[in-house]
Amino acid sequence: MVRRLYGSAELQERLQVSRARVVQITSRPDFPEPFDRLAGGAVWLVEDVEAWIAEHRPHQARGADPDEC
């Protein structure tokens, strides 16, 4: 099973925010828990982050096509 992940750089690009803003967003209690923490930092499952975006940033939500990410 292939799992698609977002790291901080991918979140920065996906949300179109600064690195500092990614830290703020990922620290929110309603943001998904990281899937794992690696030497390079935390990583999140794309589907968890996209669900959060759909709920909290609907103007940035994408269609149901996960290949659009």
Side-chain angles (χ1 to χ4, degrees):
M1 172 198 255
V2 175
R3 295 190 183 201
R4 298 193 48 192
L5 303 171
Y6 280 149
S8 291
E10 290 79 14
L11 289 174
Q12 190 176 343
E13 182 179 326
R14 174 67 180 89
L15 298 171
Q16 300 176 357
V17 296
S18 68
R19 184 181 316 163
R21 184 69 179 128
V22 166
V23 171
Q24 291 175 337
I25 291 170
T26 58
S27 296
R28 292 174 50 146
D30 61 356
F31 197 79
E33 287 294 317
F35 172 71
D36 204 356
R37 293 184 190 276
L38 309 173
V43 291
W44 292 264
L45 292 173
V46 167
E47 57 265 27
D48 292 348
V49 174
E50 291 299 329
W52 182 88
I53 290 170
E55 182 177 347
H56 297 279
R57 292 175 165 245
H59 63 284
Q60 290 183 313
R62 293 193 170 149
D65 182 7
D67 290 329
E68 196 176 349
C69 295

